[in-house]
Amino acid sequence: MTTETSPPSPTGDDRDGTAPHAAARAALLADPGRSGRPRRTALARLTDDWLAGLFTAAGRPPGVALVAVGGYGRGELSPRSDLDVLLLHDGRIARDLPERIWYPVWDSGSALDHSVRTLAEARAVAAADLKAQLGLLDARHLAGDQALTATLRSVVLTDWRASAPARLPELRELCRERAERHGELSFLLEPDLKEARGGLRDVVALDAVAATWLADAPRDGLDAAALRLADVRDALHLATGRATERLSLQDQDQVAERLGVLDADTLLREVYEAARTIAYASDVTWRAVDRVLAARSGRGRRSARSAFRFAGAGRGAGAVARGAVERRPLAEGVVEQDGEAVLAQGARPAADPVLPLRAAAAAAQNGLTVSYATVRRLAAECRPLPTPWPDEAREQLVTLLGAGEAAVPVWEALEAEGLVTRLLPDWERVRCRPQRNAVHRWTVDRHLVETAVRAAAMTRRVARPDLLLVAALLHDIGKGWPGDHSEAGEVIVRDVAVRMGFGPEDTETLAVLVRHHLTLVDTATRRDPDDPATVEAVTKVVGTPQQLELLHALTEADALATGPAAWSAWRASLVDGLVARAAARLAGAATALVEAAPTAEQERLAVEAARTGGPALSLLAQSDGADPATEPMGVELTLAVPDRPGLLGTVAGVLALHRLTVRSAGLRELDPIGAGPVLLLSWRVAAEFGELPEAARLRADLRRALDGSLDVARRLAERDAAAPRRRGIPTPPPLVAVAPAVASATATVLEVRAHDAPGLLHRIGRALDGAGVRVRTAHVSTLGAEAVDSFYLTDEEGRPLAAGRAAEVAAEVRAALG
């Protein structure tokens, strides 16, 4: 079709009804009682009558039909919309007929997108041009031969459905290219309401997908979102008097006033909310299309009888039955199916308030998203988390954020169903909030998520990645409140941290990070770096080396997530220099770790192990959460064993065999009766798939592993080889470093920071054993999906390692972690 402006009328008269139509149209647009969809429908009907009159005046030629297509075909017209019209004929058409219809339209000043074709020509054009085919899907009869229009509609729909397997990937690529050109409507300060991702073009694409009968979009809220964008577009046309789709800054106040909206910011929030609804519906729909097309091509065919089952603990819990590849376990109550995370058959959302976060974390860590049906069910059935949150909920949130880029689509799915604001009520104030600053690329809420994404790549730089990720998510939470957003954010984050279950010290650290997240960059760029007062300004607000390293990482993540103009090599060098000076000032204030005295139960186990020469252990199941009816989520395992080589790796391997995830662990030496050292290991573990092992079986396997009758390494290797490979996500490489000598006067401290994985501690323990060093003390923590471990090492004589030897041990551990 071709859009043309008005050439001169060949007749110059007004017997075609143009003037009455123009007067009626002007009256309709000026009527304050008509707006929105009713006005668009009335405008379309008014135009229908006018064009039908032009066709009648042309003599009602037989074998010809006047057909509305595209947006006009859908029966709604915005004030400045093009008129998309097809003159369809059976091969017999007078040469001057099109001009007798087109010229009055041109004379009226309306933009006309017109074509003249036979049925065969229309089909051929549609087959060659996807955009033309999409326009014909909305064909609507205006005048003339109704049977001809009906035939067109029938054959176009038939062709569309028959060619859907080939055309839908083409349509998806068209949408992707359009999004790359015009950006995401949800985040642009001057968005294109039609062409940007989440705009009106995407609604047309979703309707086209539905017309194939292969898939349909989630309809909840979709129509309302499309109506809101169409209403804003109408107001934009009327405010500017132009056929523009871009909501420019200078027009937003006028558009808001026409719509009766409070101000331009409120208008943008409404536009962003509508766009997110459409964009999310598009994501869900295209995933459904992918599954259908894969199944049709044979790539997605699976046995309808395939199912998964869990074997008992100790027999490979979570293993998939032979040939059952359709549903693979990811976490307790969560499985993978067709490339999405879905609920397991035995999941109980109503009794498991942590399930939404667990499903989200499992999906993100495996590079998946949570299925639409699953998110809907979680939103409908899960009860709110208790206050404070159970430990698992906090850990799962950190695990979700630590997935980096993979967390974004999962977060969007949770937000689309209201689960984010249910978890974090304060999120509502920043959701879809625009930032009228050219430096910012995102709305406030998306900037917070993007900052967490950037922070996920920096988890090796800090000892507390969990605090870094949570601070990144909440650092601008105060922007929804009046006044300085850093001060407001500090108040909010103190409350949120307590609700999340953080202790007083961690809450204070989070408050410092949020209150001072701009301090480093502001001080580094505005103050003299050589002035002692500059360093003092930082050390006054950041009281510990740990807080300083967290603030350093948060500062960089915040700037990188803001936009290209917010961070540069120059700014980075200034901040790095300031941090180095502040770290040197704080180094003298660092205090050594004071270990708590052993409990009576630990001393009892140590005495028993020393007397018997064998292992002594106790198991205590814990309920994670305030509800005493909650099933046990973790186990406190205390094990005392006379010192022997390879103990740490052996015990960790047995726990991995039983699919127990180590959340924290400690190792220390005791000599309770003077008969020689006893190693005391205190573990906090959680069941990977929610099914704890029997204590007797775990105890038996520990004894067998310690006496050598159970080859733990071989069993783990066999299980890993049999497990189906699942795609993962990019993670920062492991960091294995020797701490400065000041960290301990009696041992060499080896620090290991790595992405948590089954058997990680087993591999570290075996590497240390193979290196011929003794592990005198260990402190192991798993924070979300990140392991942060410290091992106090000595040689066989109990002395710290020489510098060269320590470097060799670090290299061996690094190699073991791959």
Side-chain angles (χ1 to χ4, degrees):
M1 296 185 182
T2 305
T3 302
E4 299 184 11
T5 55
S6 307
S9 170
T11 59
D13 59 30
D14 190 35
R15 291 175 294 175
D16 47 40
T18 299
H21 167 72
R25 183 178 183 279
L28 175 61
L29 295 179
D31 183 357
R34 302 288 286 274
S35 63
R37 173 175 278 176
R39 182 173 60 197
R40 290 190 293 275
T41 301
L43 187 58
R45 289 175 180 169
L46 184 65
T47 307
D48 291 352
D49 294 341
W50 175 44
L51 293 179
L54 294 176
F55 186 86
T56 299
R60 295 183 181 178
V64 181
L66 190 62
V67 184
V69 297
Y72 180 30
R74 289 188 289 276
E76 291 192 0
L77 277 180
S78 289
R80 293 287 176 174
S81 290
D82 292 354
L83 299 181
D84 300 332
V85 182
L86 166 65
L87 201 57
L88 188 67
H89 63 94
D90 61 4
R92 299 167 297 154
I93 186 171
R95 179 175 299 179
D96 65 340
L97 177 61
E99 293 182 350
R100 297 175 67 182
I101 300 174
W102 306 152
Y103 271 101
V105 178
W106 286 325
D107 287 344
S108 73
S110 299
L112 179 65
D113 197 350
H114 64 87
S115 61
V116 181
R117 294 190 178 105
T118 65
L119 183 61
E121 289 170 342
R123 292 183 72 183
V125 169
D129 186 343
L130 177 59
K131 292 181 180 179
Q133 190 170 32
L134 293 175
L136 289 174
L137 289 176
D138 294 309
R140 181 170 59 86
H141 183 72
L142 295 178
D145 189 339
Q146 280 191 323
L148 197 58
T149 304
T151 302
L152 174 69
R153 285 184 52 82
S154 177
V155 297
V156 166
L157 279 171
T158 299
D159 291 347
W160 176 242
R161 288 165 185 156
S163 63
R167 274 294 165 99
L168 286 180
E170 187 181 350
L171 176 58
R172 184 175 194 174
E173 181 63 17
L174 194 68
C175 293
R176 187 192 63 78
E177 291 175 354
R178 180 165 39 78
E180 286 186 353
R181 287 195 307 272
H182 297 280
E184 293 206 39
L185 178 51
S186 300
F187 309 117
L188 297 169
L189 275 177
E190 294 187 311
D192 188 308
L193 300 170
K194 189 174 183 180
E195 303 291 345
R197 181 175 182 267
L200 293 168
R201 286 279 191 208
D202 280 340
V203 178
V204 175
L206 292 177
D207 289 341
V209 173
T212 66
W213 293 348
L214 296 182
D216 193 11
R219 292 289 163 179
D220 286 350
L222 184 58
D223 289 343
L227 282 175
R228 192 53 179 161
L229 292 188
D231 290 349
V232 174
R233 183 192 187 204
D234 287 0
L236 179 62
H237 285 188
L238 292 172
T240 63
R242 295 180 287 111
T244 179
E245 313 297 340
R246 185 169 298 281
L247 187 58
S248 299
L249 290 173
Q250 65 266 25
D251 300 324
Q252 290 173 10
D253 287 324
Q254 296 180 64
V255 172
E257 184 178 356
R258 280 187 172 272
L259 293 172
V261 174
L262 179 62
D263 55 27
D265 275 3
T266 304
L267 170 68
L268 278 183
R269 290 192 76 176
E270 291 184 358
V271 168
Y272 292 162
E273 288 174 351
R276 287 193 189 183
T277 299
I278 295 168
Y280 177 62
S282 297
D283 290 341
V284 172
T285 302
W286 287 118
R287 290 199 300 270
V289 168
D290 286 345
R291 290 194 297 272
V292 171
L293 295 184
R296 287 195 166 204
S297 68
R299 290 181 288 116
R301 290 175 187 166
R302 294 181 174 90
S303 169
R305 297 180 181 179
S306 64
F308 77 97
R309 61 179 176 83
F310 289 108
R315 304 180 190 175
V320 181
R322 184 181 301 276
V325 296
E326 191 170 44
R327 293 167 68 86
R328 296 186 294 180
L330 298 175
E332 182 195 358
V334 188
V335 299
E336 177 187 352
Q337 179 177 317
D338 290 331
E340 295 181 321
V342 303
L343 295 185
Q345 293 175 349
R348 298 181 298 163
D352 189 355
V354 182
L355 188 54
L357 281 173
R358 191 184 311 122
Q365 285 292 325
N366 287 278
L368 309 171
T369 191
V370 186
S371 79
Y372 172 71
T374 294
V375 179
R376 295 273 294 174
R377 184 180 172 195
L378 291 171
E381 297 183 24
C382 280
R383 54 190 172 91
L385 285 168
T387 300
W389 288 9
D391 289 346
E392 189 202 0
R394 189 173 62 256
E395 291 165 358
Q396 296 293 355
L397 174 64
V398 171
T399 301
L400 167 61
L401 300 176
E405 289 284 355
V408 175
V410 176
W411 188 271
E412 289 176 342
L414 297 182
E415 193 163 41
E417 297 300 331
L419 284 167
V420 170
T421 49
R422 186 186 301 181
L423 292 166
L424 302 170
D426 301 280
W427 194 261
E428 181 60 32
R429 283 184 173 264
V430 297
R431 189 174 63 85
C432 294
R433 182 173 290 276
Q435 303 201 79
R436 294 187 176 275
N437 185 322
V439 173
H440 278 278
R441 296 178 57 195
W442 311 104
T443 53
V444 177
D445 58 337
R446 181 59 178 269
H447 169 70
L448 294 174
V449 175
E450 290 290 332
T451 304
V453 168
R454 297 288 186 167
M458 303 176 186
T459 50
R460 301 295 177 271
R461 290 170 43 177
V462 298
R464 289 295 302 273
D466 56 331
L467 296 182
L468 172 62
L469 292 168
V470 172
L473 183 70
L474 299 176
H475 74 278
D476 275 347
I477 198 71
K479 284 190 173 179
W481 295 82
D484 186 306
H485 77 278
S486 297
E487 295 177 0
E490 179 187 1
V491 175
I492 296 169
V493 82
R494 287 184 184 278
D495 175 63
V496 173
V498 171
R499 280 190 274 125
M500 286 183 174
F502 283 105
E505 185 176 343
D506 289 345
T507 297
E508 182 62 30
T509 296
L510 288 170
V512 168
L513 294 175
V514 171
R515 174 66 181 87
H516 297 288
H517 68 272
L518 298 175
T519 295
L520 285 182
V521 71
D522 285 350
T523 305
T525 56
R526 299 176 184 177
R527 302 277 291 274
D528 179 2
D530 296 321
D531 186 344
T534 301
V535 174
E536 186 178 358
V538 174
T539 56
K540 274 186 176 180
V541 298
V542 182
T544 67
Q546 184 184 87
Q547 288 183 356
L548 179 63
E549 71 174 10
L550 286 167
L551 187 59
H552 188 192
L554 175 60
T555 299
E556 185 174 341
D558 181 19
L560 290 171
T562 297
W567 196 244
S568 64
W570 171 73
R571 286 195 172 196
S573 66
L574 292 178
V575 171
D576 290 347
L578 177 60
V579 169
R581 291 178 173 87
R585 177 77 64 87
L586 292 172
T591 57
L593 177 67
V594 178
E595 190 131 41
T599 65
E601 175 65 7
Q602 290 173 336
E603 289 184 338
R604 183 189 68 78
L605 292 172
V607 169
E608 180 183 342
R611 286 177 175 171
T612 62
L617 64 87
S618 68
L619 284 169
L620 177 63
Q622 291 188 329
S623 290
D624 189 8
D627 186 353
T630 303
E631 291 186 0
M633 295 298 298
V635 166
E636 291 285 350
L637 167 63
T638 306
L639 175 66
V641 185
D643 193 8
R644 65 182 70 186
L647 181 63
L648 178 63
T650 298
V651 176
V654 172
L655 298 182
L657 273 179
H658 285 262
R659 296 196 180 272
L660 292 172
T661 300
V662 178
R663 305 309 304 175
S664 64
L667 181 151
R668 63 197 297 184
E669 281 187 355
L670 297 177
D671 189 358
I673 60 174
V678 170
L679 292 185
L680 184 71
L681 297 95
S682 302
W683 306 78
R684 178 173 172 264
V685 297
E688 187 175 350
F689 299 114
E691 189 173 349
L692 293 172
E694 296 177 0
R697 187 173 185 87
L698 178 60
R699 190 190 308 267
D701 283 350
L702 282 169
R703 291 183 182 277
R704 291 171 56 217
L706 291 171
D707 65 25
S709 60
L710 174 62
D711 190 338
V712 175
R714 181 179 62 82
R715 286 281 300 276
L716 284 173
E718 290 174 349
R719 191 185 69 184
D720 291 345
R725 291 196 175 274
R726 181 184 294 119
R727 63 174 177 169
I729 57 172
T731 59
L735 174 67
V736 182
V738 180
V742 295
S744 174
T746 59
T748 297
V749 180
L750 186 71
E751 296 180 342
V752 180
R753 299 175 185 176
H755 192 74
D756 192 30
L760 175 69
L761 189 55
H762 171 65
R763 295 199 298 277
I764 295 172
R766 289 191 69 195
L768 293 175
D769 183 41
V773 296
R774 293 181 59 198
V775 181
R776 198 192 72 191
T777 307
H779 300 279
V780 175
S781 298
T782 305
L783 304 170
E786 300 300 318
V788 180
D789 306 337
S790 297
F791 303 92
Y792 287 67
L793 310 178
T794 66
D795 60 19
E796 291 298 330
E797 283 71 38
R799 297 171 303 194
L801 306 180
R805 179 67 180 128
E808 292 175 358
V809 172
E812 292 186 38
V813 173
R814 197 177 297 114
L817 298 182

